[in-house]
Amino acid sequence: MSTGPIIPNEVMECQQDNTEDKLLNMRRDSTSWYEFLLQPGLLLQHISNPSSVPGSHQLIIQFLQQANMLETSLNAAEAKQNAKETQSITPEAKEESDLRVSGLLLPNTKKDDVSEKKYFKKKIYALKLLALKIAAHGNWNLEALMKNIPGPLVLQLLQLLMTVTSDNVEENDESLIEILTQNKHSDHYFFSLLLYQRWCLQTVLKDCLPKKPSKVNSIPVPGLTEPIVSMVGISEEKLAQIKKLFGKCKSALTECLNVNRTACIPTYDCFDFGSSALGDLELNWQKGDICGIEVWGQQIAFDLGAVYFYETDYYKALDMFKIAHTHSIKAPCTGVEVETLSGYIKACNSLVHQEKHVGNIINVFNDALKKSDSQALVEVLEKNLVTCSLPRTAADHVSLLLHKIKEENVNLKGANVTKLDCLCCILHVKRGDAYCLLQLSESSEKNQQYSYLVEKLSVAIGNCSQAEKSNLISFLDYLLNTEPLMIKIMLTASEKVKSLLSSISSDNSVKNTGLFTSPTTQSLLEPQSYDVSDTIIALTYNPDKIWHFLCTLHSPAELKTVADFWKLPKELDKLFTNELKMDLNSVCAYILIAKAKELILTKEYSQAVILLEAAEKTVRNAVKIQKIIRWELLYCNLLSSKSGDGKSTSADTTQKVKSCLYSLKVDSELYPHDNLVMECVSYLLLSKDWEYLSSLHDTRVAYTEYARQMINVCKELPAVQYAKAPGKVLWESSIVIFSLQNVGKRVRLGNQAMLPKDAYKKFILTINEPLVLSVLISLLTKIYSLKTTDTDIDKTNQFSSVWPESMSMPLLNSIDKDYICELMIQLVQHALSINSMQSSWLKTYAEIQFAVGNLRDAMKYYLQSANVASNNFMQPVPSYVFDKEVYTRMVKCCVQLKQYTQAAVLSQLFEEPDYMATFKYLQEKESHDGMDIYYDYLWDINIMEYLIHLHDKRGELDKKQQLITIISNPEINTNNPEPILQTCRSQKTAKFFRLLCKQYGYEAKSFSFSI
């Protein structure tokens, strides 16, 4: 049985009892920070003794912290005083009272000698200069300062040094090189600026290296810095600023090494206080130590060498380490360890030696491969065709990169990718591998690809061994006999291929390897019986060229042969046969329409429009065919506007859409195809022209009927009570569609045409109107909840009350649950592709993922919906997004994913937390989250006390101490007023949710830096 959580105070008392004597002795020997203000001579005596408590670095921390506290209090008092003066209720007596209340006015301070304001500013300045004196006594050892003092305080110390040495010169980032390389400023300011730039280099370098968590002392020792304080780093914002200027800093310091000038190192005696630290403050730079480039240049070169080393630029790193070594011979005692420097030099020599033997072309290849730089890879592979320097494994590396490009669905139309594929093909074929080129949908791109391939084959064949040459010739034979007709014509027409094959046929040393089955090389040079007319038309998309070529064919038989090469849908083909004779104009229009349809499939709408407009001009006397061409033009315009290539809406397009749909009502012979009708209906829905759609009630077309029913529901919303009647009609129509067993079967419900399942899915995925999409998502969610009896998913349904609450069992059993689930997922994904910032859609998608068991995706979209609704958690998450049921499901997700600490933090959000379940989560040993990284987001005292007990029982003292520190924070004290507690909870919750967003793969792009 568990003994229950131990109160943190009791734990501290138990541990302090064992060390009471030590602490008492330490208190007797320690010196308080304020004693050094009253007796400045005491400071040198204290820091000269290595065993003094507190030590030098602890004193720097205390001085700077006390100065910051006093400065904050002084600013607060001044702000309060200014506020009272504006209200005309600030008598002179009140000023003294305010200062005494704020703790700034000492009892014996005489206002006649110096005003309180100047007195405390001098006191703050004196504390800061005492910190500078100690750092100067330590010879400004930057490594020791960074190791023993928190990052923010080191930054404050260095900025303070630059301020006191600057001679009223403001630093300008853009002129950093000029400041460091020209003798415009004093030697002591030059040194302080160098020290700050070195700190920037080391801070960035330290941030890029793996971090080992520091162990925290379980007992705070008087006179020493709190362990938690010592682990504090500089803020992310400041770190980002330093990283942004990292390149300038590196360049400036590199240039600085070429300048031979002196620097003045401030010493302990440069900061003179006289008999009292609160007396006259003087800065005497004449007492500083003058040093040359052999001292400060050694430190700069060593730091730059370390940066270049971790950037893997070993040549530059070696140069810098050699400079540091040269200077260290002249000035050996400057803080640079000789063993570390010699180790770096040996490592760089070894790495540089390896790179020289490998060769420059392999370095370039590896760098380009590492960065996935296709342009650089193409250049190095083209050079390799001549030099043959790359190893045989290079082909495998390029193949993996191309596979990665395909897997990530990168657009394969890029010229670099096409060239890369050709060069990779040559590498594989040279070593005897069979290889297939990328499959390109565009004939024009494929022409360019094979043209480039032939060009590079000719280069490769002239610079390779006999075995490799035989492999390449076999591959070329294979291409010429297996590729489509248009490619054969293009290749055999190439002068390079002809000359290449002629030279090879006369070379008896080249043999066909049999790697690719093909005829002899000589047979390729013989005339081929290719259908040249088909090939010419297939290779061009220029309507003028097609027309001029057809004009050369006078025989009707020749025109018919060319027309038979192209196929149109049966209805359109029949219309051409009945309406027109197969003369020149009709054949040209037939071919242009067929090629335009090919371009529509490949989404080249602008080129398709050019072909269709040309086809329209050639059949002016055929009214029906002209109408079909205009419909195809309208179809292209609608698809183009949807893809973002054209205007989304226009009066002309709207009129054409209405005319197209009206033909469904009045024309009994000629109908637009289904895809066009779907796009027209979707267009009118998006443009809010609902009245016209409502008037199309007798078109005998299922798309307009279903759209009219959706519109009737949308018109009544958000008044749910009025939307129920039209909602029932839409519900019944949808149930009939979903209950169909045959996905392609068309049925009628009375006089109303019903869509088959596959057409229904295609139709709703063309709709872009947000309200209509919300209604459809709500409808499918309701049906899914009835089918699966999952009431949880219906609780987030935006318009749940519009739909019936039950369904007859025969109809319910006839609906395919998997079809509804798949349709719902696809519809929400389509909706989110239109607007990814719609919180209700995101939450619905999260509920779907939770229902089907995709818990990680469920957590991602729960968090994304809350992120959108709360403006990146800058505001409280609305209750309609995150309520008790959602928190319960998120906890279940975390438990199933074994993220037990996350589940415990989420348990705090309930009005009445289930402590028994939460404690059970925390007892789990196989936790897949970071556990203690989430402790900062706890505020529930019971949970933290239980964790303290748990870590104490397991002997995990560092985690236990971390919790003791957190539980000791005043902000979570249960005696605080409720507004303060609520603010604390809100801040911790927001930070926790942002961290979860980052873990589950949803976060805004932030600054990143890597060496």
Side-chain angles (χ1 to χ4, degrees):
M1 295 291 291
S2 174
T3 58
I6 300 175
I7 300 175
N9 292 334
E10 296 176 357
V11 177
M12 294 297 296
E13 289 174 5
C14 292
Q15 293 176 343
Q16 288 174 353
D17 287 342
N18 299 329
T19 57
E20 185 175 356
D21 294 336
K22 285 185 179 180
L23 298 181
L24 289 174
N25 292 332
M26 196 170 290
R27 288 191 185 99
R28 294 191 199 100
D29 298 335
S30 62
T31 306
S32 299
W33 61 269
Y34 54 80
E35 296 182 37
F36 300 107
L37 276 178
L38 304 176
Q39 304 178 44
L42 182 63
L43 181 60
L44 181 60
Q45 178 184 352
H46 181 86
I47 61 179
S48 298
N49 184 4
S51 60
S52 298
V53 178
S56 300
H57 296 108
Q58 281 75 28
L59 269 179
I60 292 176
I61 295 172
Q62 292 182 17
F63 285 146
L64 292 178
Q65 286 180 338
Q66 291 298 327
N68 293 338
M69 290 173 59
L70 289 173
E71 198 165 16
T72 303
S73 300
L74 180 61
N75 293 336
E78 287 180 347
K80 187 175 180 181
Q81 183 178 351
N82 293 336
K84 289 185 177 181
E85 287 177 355
T86 56
Q87 299 174 4
S88 302
I89 41 175
T90 54
E92 292 186 7
K94 198 67 177 176
E95 177 183 356
E96 183 176 350
S97 175
D98 289 340
L99 291 173
R100 294 189 187 279
V101 170
S102 64
L104 298 176
L105 191 61
L106 294 177
N108 296 326
T109 302
K110 293 184 178 181
K111 197 170 182 180
D112 297 337
D113 298 334
V114 61
S115 67
E116 286 86 346
K117 184 176 179 181
K118 291 183 178 180
Y119 171 82
F120 283 105
K121 284 188 176 180
K122 183 176 286 187
K123 182 178 179 181
I124 293 167
Y125 188 53
L127 285 169
K128 292 180 178 179
L129 290 188
L130 285 175
L132 290 176
K133 286 173 75 72
I134 299 173
H137 184 269
N139 202 27
W140 302 103
N141 190 330
L142 188 59
E143 288 72 19
L145 292 175
M146 294 180 67
K147 182 179 179 181
N148 298 289
I149 300 177
L153 294 184
V154 177
L155 175 60
Q156 182 183 356
L157 186 71
L158 297 179
Q159 289 177 336
L160 178 62
L161 178 64
M162 286 195 295
T163 302
V164 299
T165 60
S166 63
D167 297 330
N168 298 323
V169 176
E170 294 185 358
E171 179 185 349
N172 186 358
D173 292 329
E174 296 180 354
S175 60
L176 184 60
I177 295 179
E178 182 181 349
I179 294 175
L180 289 175
T181 56
Q182 297 183 11
N183 292 327
K184 291 183 178 181
H185 306 289
S186 60
D187 289 347
H188 43 271
Y189 178 66
F190 176 70
F191 171 79
S192 64
L193 191 58
L194 285 180
L195 191 65
Y196 175 74
Q197 300 302 325
R198 286 184 58 214
W199 175 82
C200 291
L201 285 183
Q202 295 191 26
T203 299
V204 174
L205 188 61
K206 183 180 178 182
D207 182 69
C208 297
L209 297 176
K211 299 177 181 61
K212 182 179 179 182
S214 304
K215 290 188 177 181
V216 183
N217 296 325
S218 57
I219 304 175
V221 180
L224 297 181
T225 310
E226 283 287 338
I228 297 297
V229 174
S230 66
M231 296 191 308
V232 174
I234 63 174
S235 65
E236 292 293 331
E237 182 180 359
K238 183 62 181 176
L239 188 60
Q241 294 176 359
I242 296 172
K243 288 177 178 179
K244 189 175 181 181
L245 300 174
F246 183 74
K248 290 183 179 180
C249 173
K250 203 166 54 171
S251 302
L253 291 178
T254 304
E255 291 291 330
C256 183
L257 291 175
N258 300 322
V259 178
N260 189 7
R261 64 166 293 178
T262 58
C264 177
I265 304 176
T267 60
Y268 182 89
D269 295 330
C270 288
F271 310 96
D272 190 10
F273 291 100
S275 60
S276 172
L278 297 178
D280 295 331
L281 307 176
E282 297 180 0
L283 300 174
N284 188 355
W285 303 121
Q286 301 299 325
K287 297 181 179 180
D289 291 338
I290 303 298
C291 66
I293 190 174
E294 63 276 359
V295 176
W296 59 263
Q298 179 184 167
Q299 298 168 336
I300 297 296
F302 182 81
D303 290 339
L304 286 172
V307 171
Y308 287 130
F309 185 85
Y310 285 103
E311 286 180 338
T312 66
D313 192 345
Y314 303 118
Y315 288 94
K316 288 185 179 179
L318 182 59
D319 292 340
M320 290 298 160
F321 288 133
K322 286 181 178 179
I323 293 173
H325 178 69
T326 303
H327 290 320
S328 67
I329 297 174
K330 302 177 182 178
C333 299
T334 57
V336 177
E337 297 182 1
V338 178
E339 295 81 4
T340 305
L341 181 59
S342 61
Y344 269 124
I345 293 175
K346 288 180 181 179
C348 289
N349 278 323
S350 175
L351 293 167
V352 168
H353 181 72
Q354 290 178 8
E355 289 186 0
K356 287 181 179 178
H357 279 74
V358 171
N360 186 53
I361 191 170
I362 297 182
N363 289 335
V364 177
F365 176 78
N366 290 333
D367 290 341
L369 200 64
K370 186 177 180 181
K371 299 175 182 177
S372 298
D373 187 347
S374 58
Q375 178 61 35
L377 278 174
V378 167
E379 292 175 0
V380 73
L381 290 177
E382 286 178 344
K383 291 180 182 177
N384 183 66
L385 294 177
V386 178
T387 62
C388 300
S389 304
L390 292 178
R392 292 168 62 87
T393 55
D396 299 322
H397 292 301
V398 180
S399 297
L400 287 174
L401 178 62
L402 287 169
H403 178 72
K404 178 183 175 183
I405 292 173
K406 295 177 187 178
E407 289 294 322
E408 294 178 355
N409 295 323
V410 176
N411 187 0
L412 297 181
K413 296 181 181 180
N416 289 338
V417 177
T418 303
K419 292 179 180 179
L420 193 61
D421 190 39
C422 293
L423 294 167
C424 182
C425 172
I426 294 174
L427 286 176
H428 276 283
V429 172
K430 281 176 67 175
R431 72 181 195 181
D433 299 337
Y435 190 82
C436 295
L437 295 175
L438 290 174
Q439 297 299 317
L440 298 175
S441 59
E442 302 291 337
S443 59
S444 58
E445 288 187 3
K446 200 155 192 176
N447 294 346
Q448 295 172 3
Q449 182 186 34
Y450 279 93
S451 177
Y452 179 80
L453 178 63
V454 169
E455 178 186 347
K456 296 308 170 185
L457 272 174
S458 62
V459 176
I461 289 174
N463 298 279
C464 61
S465 64
Q466 290 297 327
E468 292 173 339
K469 186 179 292 187
S470 298
N471 288 336
L472 291 171
I473 295 303
S474 179
F475 174 67
L476 183 58
D477 288 355
Y478 172 79
L479 286 180
L480 292 171
N481 289 273
T482 57
E483 285 299 314
L485 180 64
M486 62 186 72
I487 299 298
K488 295 180 188 178
I489 295 294
M490 183 200 69
L491 291 177
T492 53
S494 170
E495 293 297 329
K496 286 189 177 181
V497 175
K498 287 181 179 179
S499 60
L500 184 61
L501 293 177
S502 299
S503 62
I504 292 169
S505 61
S506 60
D507 189 352
N508 297 326
S509 62
V510 178
K511 298 180 180 179
N512 194 316
T513 61
L515 178 64
F516 301 92
T517 304
S518 65
T520 62
T521 305
Q522 184 62 34
S523 65
L524 296 174
L525 299 174
E526 298 172 357
Q528 305 291 326
S529 58
Y530 298 135
D531 191 340
V532 180
S533 60
D534 292 343
T535 305
I536 292 176
I537 295 175
L539 289 174
T540 183
Y541 287 88
N542 188 321
D544 293 332
K545 289 184 178 180
I546 295 174
W547 169 259
H548 288 307
F549 175 75
L550 291 176
C551 289
T552 63
L553 304 178
H554 303 289
S555 170
E558 289 179 322
L559 288 173
K560 187 177 185 306
T561 301
V562 173
D564 289 342
F565 187 78
W566 305 93
K567 297 297 180 184
L568 288 177
K570 289 182 179 180
E571 297 80 5
L572 193 54
D573 186 73
K574 185 178 178 181
L575 190 62
F576 263 93
T577 305
N578 295 337
E579 292 288 321
L580 297 172
K581 297 178 181 180
M582 295 307 290
D583 57 4
L584 179 62
N585 288 338
S586 58
V587 170
C588 184
Y590 190 94
I591 293 173
L592 290 174
I593 295 173
K595 291 180 73 67
K597 282 188 168 292
E598 286 183 358
L599 291 171
I600 290 173
L601 291 177
T602 59
K603 299 183 179 180
E604 294 190 46
Y605 306 121
S606 57
Q607 184 64 32
V609 168
I610 294 174
L611 294 181
L612 290 170
E613 289 175 346
E616 185 181 9
K617 294 177 182 177
T618 60
V619 288
R620 297 184 183 277
N621 298 327
V623 178
K624 290 183 179 180
I625 294 178
Q626 276 199 328
K627 180 180 285 190
I628 289 178
I629 294 174
R630 293 192 189 103
W631 285 344
E632 288 298 325
L633 283 168
L634 174 61
Y635 185 53
C636 283
N637 290 332
L638 293 176
L639 292 177
S640 177
S641 64
K642 183 176 285 188
S643 64
D645 296 336
K647 294 182 179 179
S648 57
T649 58
S650 67
D652 183 52
T653 304
T654 303
Q655 185 59 39
K656 290 179 180 178
V657 167
K658 291 180 179 180
S659 175
C660 177
L661 292 178
Y662 186 72
S663 65
L664 296 173
K665 194 173 182 180
V666 299
D667 199 336
S668 59
E669 296 181 2
L670 197 61
Y671 297 105
H673 56 79
D674 284 358
N675 290 338
L676 176 56
V677 174
M678 283 191 289
E679 293 298 335
C680 288
V681 172
S682 174
Y683 178 87
L684 291 180
L685 286 173
L686 183 62
S687 60
K688 299 283 186 179
D689 200 343
W690 294 355
E691 294 299 331
Y692 185 81
L693 276 174
S694 299
S695 66
L696 299 174
H697 53 81
D698 55 351
T699 60
R700 307 178 302 281
V701 177
Y703 300 110
T704 57
E705 292 291 334
Y706 197 81
R708 192 166 56 83
Q709 294 173 8
M710 291 189 296
I711 290 170
N712 291 336
V713 177
C714 294
K715 282 180 177 179
E716 303 298 338
L717 292 174
V720 175
Q721 64 273 21
Y722 299 112
K724 287 186 176 182
K728 184 178 180 181
V729 176
L730 180 61
W731 172 273
E732 291 174 351
S733 299
S734 303
I735 295 300
V736 172
I737 294 172
F738 300 147
S739 61
L740 293 176
Q741 298 302 318
N742 189 346
V743 295
K745 183 179 179 181
R746 291 184 180 272
V747 298
R748 299 188 69 84
L749 183 62
N751 294 327
Q752 179 183 340
M754 290 287 104
L755 288 169
K757 284 184 179 180
D758 54 352
Y760 177 81
K761 179 191 291 188
K762 190 174 182 180
F763 173 51
I764 65 174
L765 293 180
T766 63
I767 297 173
N768 290 353
E769 209 289 316
L771 181 58
V772 177
L773 285 172
S774 296
V775 169
L776 287 172
I777 292 171
S778 175
L779 171 68
L780 292 173
T781 304
K782 188 68 175 183
I783 295 174
Y784 184 81
S785 67
L786 293 176
K787 180 66 180 177
T788 60
T789 65
D790 183 2
T791 57
D792 289 338
I793 194 172
D794 193 43
K795 290 179 180 177
T796 61
N797 195 339
Q798 189 176 3
F799 304 119
S800 176
S801 54
V802 173
W803 319 113
E805 294 296 331
S806 61
M807 193 189 310
S808 64
M809 288 306 297
L811 276 178
L812 197 59
N813 293 332
S814 66
I815 296 176
D816 185 1
K817 179 187 74 173
D818 294 336
Y819 172 79
I820 297 296
C821 181
E822 179 187 357
L823 185 60
M824 201 162 45
I825 291 174
Q826 291 183 11
L827 182 60
V828 179
Q829 287 176 342
H830 168 68
L832 290 175
S833 69
I834 298 168
N835 182 9
S836 61
M837 305 296 286
Q838 177 63 266
S839 179
S840 62
W841 294 346
L842 290 166
K843 187 178 178 182
T844 300
Y845 194 65
E847 297 288 357
I848 297 170
Q849 296 300 328
F850 180 82
V852 300
N854 296 333
L855 303 182
R856 184 168 290 276
D857 285 342
M859 282 292 292
K860 174 183 176 180
Y861 286 98
Y862 278 133
L863 292 165
Q864 191 171 347
S865 66
N867 183 285
V868 170
S870 62
N871 190 19
N872 194 24
F873 302 106
M874 298 298 291
Q875 303 167 356
V877 181
S879 58
Y880 63 82
V881 177
F882 273 7
D883 52 14
K884 181 180 178 181
E885 286 77 12
V886 174
Y887 286 135
T888 302
R889 287 192 282 280
M890 292 176 71
V891 169
K892 287 181 181 178
C893 290
C894 292
V895 172
Q896 291 294 323
L897 295 170
K898 296 187 178 181
Q899 312 282 351
Y900 297 113
T901 316
Q902 295 177 15
V905 177
L906 287 170
S907 299
Q908 301 176 116
L909 299 171
F910 294 96
E911 292 184 4
E912 296 180 0
D914 186 352
Y915 290 114
M916 294 301 294
T918 304
F919 294 163
K920 185 178 179 180
Y921 303 151
L922 296 173
Q923 288 175 358
E924 296 287 346
K925 294 183 179 180
E926 190 181 352
S927 181
H928 291 176
D929 57 22
M931 198 167 184
D932 53 330
I933 68 171
Y934 298 104
Y935 287 172
D936 286 333
Y937 311 114
L938 292 170
W939 65 81
D940 191 298
I941 301 297
N942 295 325
I943 295 177
M944 285 192 282
E945 288 180 345
Y946 179 78
L947 276 171
I948 291 172
H949 160 69
L950 196 62
H951 289 311
D952 181 67
K953 187 177 178 180
R954 294 175 179 174
E956 299 168 341
L957 299 182
D958 52 346
K959 295 181 180 179
K960 171 185 171 184
Q961 181 60 34
Q962 180 183 353
L963 282 161
I964 291 174
T965 304
I966 295 172
I967 206 173
S968 302
N969 287 337
E971 59 185 9
I972 62 174
N973 191 326
T974 53
N975 294 324
N976 286 337
E978 184 58 29
I980 296 178
L981 293 174
Q982 186 59 40
T983 301
C984 173
R985 293 170 194 154
S986 300
Q987 292 174 349
K988 286 177 175 283
T989 302
K991 291 179 182 178
F992 174 64
F993 282 149
R994 291 191 193 106
L995 183 62
L996 287 188
C997 286
K998 190 178 296 185
Q999 176 178 341
Y1000 287 100
Y1002 174 71
E1003 61 170 332
K1005 289 185 179 180
S1006 57
F1007 179 83
S1008 61
F1009 178 86
S1010 61
I1011 288 184

